[in-house]
Structures are given as structure tokens and as C-alpha cells.
């Protein structure tokens, strides 16, 4: 993966700008998601479509790991201001676990897995992470065994949706928004 | 139209075998977890427990429609607690972390029916009555679980 051939976004200030844009993008998607009545779709606590995951998948494929880590952490902290400390704990743990799983799969990206697979694995990891936090908060393991299957099956669908959206987003941004040699 | 189909084909042509492995793995783990609570879900006697801070605050028999046990520490853990027994249904009102919620016991089932929590997840869980089922209000940090009364669930002795 080669991220830094584009001259416009190779300077420190250029990269700060691009990181800020994607962080803002992720925050907006998080806030939109918190407004959506997803509980009516599947009445399981912790169920989300994971719109902000589109930015994470995009960032992990095209940007440096440290930059992706920054985008995820800031997105969770700022979105947490809107949703409260309990939701912050869930989303931060889930998102960071998803980040590490996707990072581990990154060498296989393009060969064995596409962004869809990355996204599904990330969604599954996110749900495992947040269910572990729920089990800790409620001090009960049974809750994990009860809700996790629903969340894992749902993560196949939500992960696929966000992954399918991420493919053209990655493509368009690399070809049109940021023209130049190599990737972002 | 044609460009639409082309675009779709492009997305799916880019999918790799690892994608199906990732999806399959999620479903396999889900299926494995599903079988664990399913092992002990066939019971006749049914009651529910209200749990917060690792403590069973109360137990309530769904068949006899009567509370079996109320913890001494319920006053410390909950901000308010009251029970109202009506003709068709019993309403238990509780509040914790400034969240008010009501447990309605009706026809051998229990449900969180009203609450001022922001996400309204507990309401959408609806009525539950099968052993192993849960209803949770995460902002309040309280959950309700249905248990089956059987010899298997009762410990022969308790240590400590």
C-alpha cells in the first residue's frame, strides 16, 4: 500500500487537512446514525448500521494506520458528546477492536479480501467489543451469549452494505477528488 | 441502465473469497453462541429477575403473578421503586440514573413498556416470557432476565 505519492497531500499541513476532512465526515455520519430509529429495525441493544464505518474502511485502505486511529478516536469522542458516556464507551471499544482486526487483515486486502470482507470483519469485531463492554457494565456474561448472535448475524448485512458503499467511495476519491500519481 | 449494470458488476467482481469467509465466520460464531442458552430453555415454572450492579434486586413469579424475593439493598440501588397490582396487569415502577421505567406483567410475560431513556431500546424489546430472554435498559444499567425454575438451576449448596 502506497499512500504518499500524491504531492498535494504529502506535506504535513496537507495531511492534517485531509485527516480533518475525513474526521468531520465520520462525525457527521455518527450523529446522523444516532438520530436514525435503528432500534425499530432490529430491537437489540447495540444494533447499528455503522455508517461511520464507511470512513473507517476508506481510511484503513488508503491512509496510514496512525491516521486512521486518530480519525476513529476523535470521531468516537466527539460523537460521544451527543450520545452520552455509556454509548461512548461502547462505540470506542467496538471501533478500536474493529480497527485492529481490519488492520490485521489489511495485508490480504485486494488479494484475498475486498473492502466488503474488511467491513464485515470490522463490524463483527465491533459487535464483539461492545458486547464485552456490556457484559462488564452489567457484570453478567449471559447477556453476551444472548445478544451477540443477533448482532453478529446483523453485522454480516450491515458490514456488507458499508463495504459495498466504501468500494466506489475509495475509487472515486482516488481517481477524481485527489487526482495524481498513486493513492492518498 | 447499462452503466448501472456495469457498475454493479464492477462492485461484485471486486469481491473476493475472503469476504465470504468473514461473513461465514460471523454466522458460525453466532450459531455456536445460539446453542448455548438453547440448552436450558425448556422449563415449566418461569420467573424473572431484575438485576443491577451484579445484584438481583427482585425476583417475580410470572405464573403465580407474585413477587418471590425483594433485595434489602433495592433502596440503595434504585432511586424509586413501587408496585401496583391491577386486575389484568401488575405495574412495577422503578427509576435509576434518572431514568424512569415500568415493568408490566401481563399474561405470564413481562415487558419494559415506558421509559424516558434516549434510545428506547428497552421498549422495542417488547414482552418477554421465555427462559433465557433478556430486556435491558442500558442507560439505567438495569436488566430483566427470565429464568426457568427447575432443579438444574437451583444450586445444591452455596459456598461462602
Amino acid at each position: 500500500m502506497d499512500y504518499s505519492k500524491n504531492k498535494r497531500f504529502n506535506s504535513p499541513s496537507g495531511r492534517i487537512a485531509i485527516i480533518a476532512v475525513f474526521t468531520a465526515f465520520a462525525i457527521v455520519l455518527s450523529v446522523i446514525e444516532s438520530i436514525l430509529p435503528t432500534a425499530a429495525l432490529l430491537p437489540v441493544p447495540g444494533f447499528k448500521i455503522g455508517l461511520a464505518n464507511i470512513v473507517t474502511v476508506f481510511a484503513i485502505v488508503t491512509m496510514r494506520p496512525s491516521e486512521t486511529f486518530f480519525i476513529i478516536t476523535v470521531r468516537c469522542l466527539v460523537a460521544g458528546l451527543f450520545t452520552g458516556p455509556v454509548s461512548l464507551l461502547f462505540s470506542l471499544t467496538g471501533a478500536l477492536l474493529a480497527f485492529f482486526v481490519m488492520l490485521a487483515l489489511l495485508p490480504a486486502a485486494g488479494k484475498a479480501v475486498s473492502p466488503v470482507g474488511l467491513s464485515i470483519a470490522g463490524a463483527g469485531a465491533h459487535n464483539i467489543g461492545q458486547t464485552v463492554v456490556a457484559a462488564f457494565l452489567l457484570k453478567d456474561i449471559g447477556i453476551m451469549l444472548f445478544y451477540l448472535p443477533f448482532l453478529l448475524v446483523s453485522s454480516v448485512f450491515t458490514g456488507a452494505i458499508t463495504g459495498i458503499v466504501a468500494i466506489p467511495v475509495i475509487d472515486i476519491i482516488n481517481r477524481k477528488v485527489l487526482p495524481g500519481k498513486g493513492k492518498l | 441502465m447499462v452503466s448501472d449494470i456495469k457498475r454493479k458488476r464492477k462492485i461484485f467482481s471486486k469481491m473476493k473469497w475472503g469476504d465470504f469467509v468473514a461473513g461465514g465466520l460471523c454466522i458460525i460464531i453466532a450459531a455456536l453462541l445460539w446453542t448455548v442458552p438453547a440448552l436450558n430453555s425448556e422449563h415449566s415454572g418461569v420467573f424473572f429477575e431484575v438485576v443491577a450492579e451484579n445484584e438481583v434486586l427482585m425476583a417475580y413469579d410470572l405464573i403465580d403473578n407474585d413477587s418471590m424475593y425483594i433485595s434489602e439493598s433495592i433502596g440503595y440501588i434504585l432511586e424509586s421503586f413501587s408496585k401496583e397490582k391491577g386486575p389484568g396487569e401488575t405495574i412495577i415502577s422503578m427509576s435509576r440514573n434518572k431514568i424512569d421505567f415500568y415493568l408490566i406483567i401481563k399474561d405470564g410475560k413481562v415487558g419494559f413498556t415506558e421509559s424516558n431513556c434516549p434510545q428506547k431500546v428497552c421498549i422495542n424489546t417488547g414482552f418477554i416470557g421465555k427462559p433465557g430472554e433478556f430486556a435491558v435498559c442500558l442507560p439505567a444499567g438495569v436488566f430483566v432476565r427470565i429464568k426457568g425454575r427447575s432443579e438444574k438451576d437451583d444450586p445444591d449448596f452455596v459456598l461462602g
Side-chain angles (χ1 to χ4, degrees):
Chain A
M1 206 56 59
D2 201 353
Y3 349 82
S4 50
K5 277 188 184 159
N6 192 312
K7 279 181 187 160
R8 266 161 74 197
F9 295 99
N10 211 9
S11 66
S13 52
R15 292 210 76 82
I16 288 169
I18 203 78
I19 291 165
V21 167
F22 287 118
T23 309
F25 193 29
I27 291 166
V28 169
L29 287 176
S30 282
V31 173
I32 289 173
E33 171 134 49
S34 68
I35 300 165
L36 290 176
T38 43
L41 209 65
L42 182 71
V44 172
F47 171 70
K48 299 198 280 192
I49 300 169
L51 293 176
N53 199 32
I54 297 167
V55 178
T56 310
V57 172
F58 167 79
I60 206 141
V61 172
T62 57
M63 297 171 89
R64 296 181 186 122
S66 59
E67 293 166 349
T68 312
F69 185 86
F70 178 86
I71 290 172
I72 291 170
T73 316
V74 173
R75 183 257 294 177
C76 287
L77 291 175
V78 176
L81 294 175
F82 295 92
T83 54
V86 180
S87 299
L88 169 68
L89 201 59
F90 287 122
S91 63
L92 197 59
T93 318
L96 289 182
L97 193 65
F99 166 71
F100 288 117
V101 166
M102 287 196 270
L103 198 63
L105 285 174
L106 198 57
K111 290 171 228 137
V113 276
S114 73
V116 177
L118 275 184
S119 176
I120 292 172
H126 185 109
N127 282 323
I128 290 171
Q130 67 174 9
T131 319
V132 169
V133 173
F136 262 101
L137 282 182
L138 295 165
K139 293 175 186 143
D140 196 286
I141 284 256
I143 190 135
M144 234 182 118
L145 297 174
F146 185 73
Y147 281 131
L148 196 51
F150 293 100
L151 291 173
L152 282 174
V153 172
S154 79
S155 68
V156 176
F157 296 100
T158 58
I161 291 167
T162 51
I164 286 168
V165 173
I167 289 176
V169 169
I170 293 166
D171 203 42
I172 289 165
I173 289 180
N174 273 326
R175 280 189 303 113
K176 292 186 180 164
V177 183
L178 306 169
K181 274 191 175 179
K183 282 170 182 167
L184 182 63
Chain B
M1 254 328 260
V2 177
S3 66
D4 232 37
I5 293 164
K6 259 187 188 167
R7 202 178 303 137
K8 268 181 202 161
R9 205 173 286 155
K10 207 172 153 194
I11 289 169
F12 286 106
S13 71
K14 276 186 180 172
M15 278 182 76
K16 302 276 159 42
W17 58 269
D19 302 349
F20 298 97
V21 175
L25 210 63
C26 283
I27 289 173
I28 288 168
I29 297 172
L32 285 176
L33 289 170
W34 230 308
T35 54
V36 176
L39 291 174
N40 49 6
S41 62
E42 290 298 318
H43 296 301
S44 49
V46 178
F47 64 98
F48 74 83
E49 290 176 342
V50 181
V51 183
E53 290 193 10
N54 204 23
E55 193 151 353
V56 177
L57 300 180
M58 64 172 295
Y60 195 99
D61 196 310
L62 283 170
I63 307 294
D64 299 344
N65 196 15
D66 195 18
S67 45
M68 294 151 57
Y69 163 79
I70 291 178
S71 164
E72 287 171 17
S73 55
I74 197 162
Y76 300 109
I77 291 171
L78 295 177
E79 283 152 15
S80 75
F81 172 77
S82 67
K83 192 174 116 184
E84 200 181 312
K85 208 164 181 174
E89 54 185 34
T90 304
I91 302 170
I92 299 170
S93 333
M94 297 177 176
S95 88
R96 186 162 185 264
N97 296 349
K98 292 178 185 147
I99 308 277
D100 304 318
F101 50 94
Y102 307 93
L103 292 169
I104 297 202
I105 298 116
K106 202 174 152 185
D107 305 325
K109 286 186 166 186
V110 62
F112 272 102
T113 50
E114 206 176 303
S115 131
N116 55 355
C117 77
Q119 277 125 6
K120 307 274 182 199
V121 169
C122 37
I123 298 164
N124 283 307
T125 309
F127 278 77
I128 54 171
K130 268 194 208 153
E133 284 185 319
F134 280 91
V136 181
C137 185
L138 283 175
V142 175
F143 71 95
V144 174
R145 64 177 169 217
I146 311 288
K147 284 204 154 186
R149 198 194 299 149
S150 75
E151 286 162 29
K152 210 165 110 192
D153 283 349
D154 294 327
D156 292 324
F157 56 89
V158 179
L159 289 173

